[in-house]
């Protein structure tokens, strides 16, 4: 893909993240076919489909349970990367050899999903994720990772 097309996809991903209702951080993710330069699927972080605006329906479970940022990934909203891969599975869209653009570093759980879905490259937009992340896992398992500048994780300012 040409750099100008990657930049356009990054801008689309940043716009998509605004659809999230999460009060902590808004993430977006796009799955791309790099050979045809098209978006295959999109997703953003949020509560379960049909389950309310937030992960706990009307409340953020992570806030309610006072879960520290960057820990206990099983509590909270569905991650943008998770939603993209599940949307692909539900719609019969192949993920093998695709690229993903995501507005922050994937957590380890999402990195495992990305790797096992056959995604070959992840373009990470932004200043990082405040917690353990999956970039090392992706690189160790042959998934290319490109880090590009973008908005910083607001939680990093509190550290």
């Amino acid at each position: 893909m040409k750099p100008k097309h990657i930049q356009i996809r990054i801008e689309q991903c940043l716009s998509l993240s605004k659809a999230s209702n999460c009060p902590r951080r808004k993430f977006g993710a796009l799955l791309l076919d790099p050979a045809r330069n098209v978006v295959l699927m999109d997703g953003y972080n949020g509560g379960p489909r049909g389950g309310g605006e937030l992960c706990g329906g009307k409340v953020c479970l992570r806030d309610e349970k006072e879960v520290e940022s960057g820990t206990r990934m099983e509590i909270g909203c569905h991650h943008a990367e998770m939603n993209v891969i599940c949307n692909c599975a539900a719609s019969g869209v192949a993920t093998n050899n695709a690229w993903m653009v995501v507005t922050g570093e994937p957590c380890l759980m999402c990195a495992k999903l990305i790797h096992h879905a056959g995604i070959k490259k992840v373009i990470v937009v932004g200043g990082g994720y405040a917690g353990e992340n999956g970039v090392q896992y992706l690189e160790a398992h042959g998934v290319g990772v490109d880090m590009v500048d973008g908005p910083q994780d607001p939680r990093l300012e509190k550290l």
Side-chain angles (χ1 to χ4, degrees):
M1 288 180 67
K2 293 179 181 177
K4 74 175 187 177
H5 293 129
I6 292 172
Q7 185 58 42
I8 289 167
R9 298 305 183 205
I10 289 169
E11 291 168 13
Q12 287 177 307
C13 195
L14 289 166
S15 290
L16 176 65
S17 70
K18 295 174 185 173
S20 171
N21 291 323
C22 181
R24 287 181 165 222
R25 174 108 194 264
K26 298 174 184 309
F27 282 89
L30 293 177
L31 192 71
L32 308 174
D33 177 339
R36 296 185 304 133
N37 187 26
V38 296
V39 175
L40 298 171
M41 191 60 66
D42 65 15
Y44 52 88
N45 62 320
R49 198 176 251 73
E53 287 194 16
L54 299 174
C55 56
K58 294 183 180 187
V59 298
C60 171
L61 288 177
R62 294 180 67 78
D63 284 345
E64 188 174 76
K65 296 177 184 262
E66 299 179 0
V67 176
E68 181 182 342
S69 290
T71 66
R72 305 283 319 269
M73 304 314 334
E74 75 279 8
I75 298 173
C77 68
H78 297 200
H79 295 188
E81 306 94 324
M82 195 184 301
N83 275 332
V84 167
I85 292 168
C86 290
N87 289 343
C88 285
S91 301
V93 174
T95 57
N96 200 41
N97 296 316
W99 290 9
M100 183 179 283
V101 178
V102 64
T103 60
E105 296 176 23
C107 71
L108 182 57
M109 177 177 60
C110 287
K112 290 177 180 181
L113 287 171
I114 290 166
H115 168 241
H116 283 270
I119 295 166
K120 293 297 177 199
K121 183 181 221 177
V122 178
I123 299 168
V124 179
V125 182
Y129 169 71
E132 299 259 340
N133 68 61
V135 170
Q136 287 181 328
Y137 177 92
L138 292 171
E139 292 173 337
H141 291 86
V143 178
V145 177
D146 289 346
M147 307 294 280
V148 298
D149 289 335
Q152 298 291 305
D153 184 333
R155 294 172 294 175
L156 293 175
E157 296 171 7
K158 297 176 185 175
L159 298 178

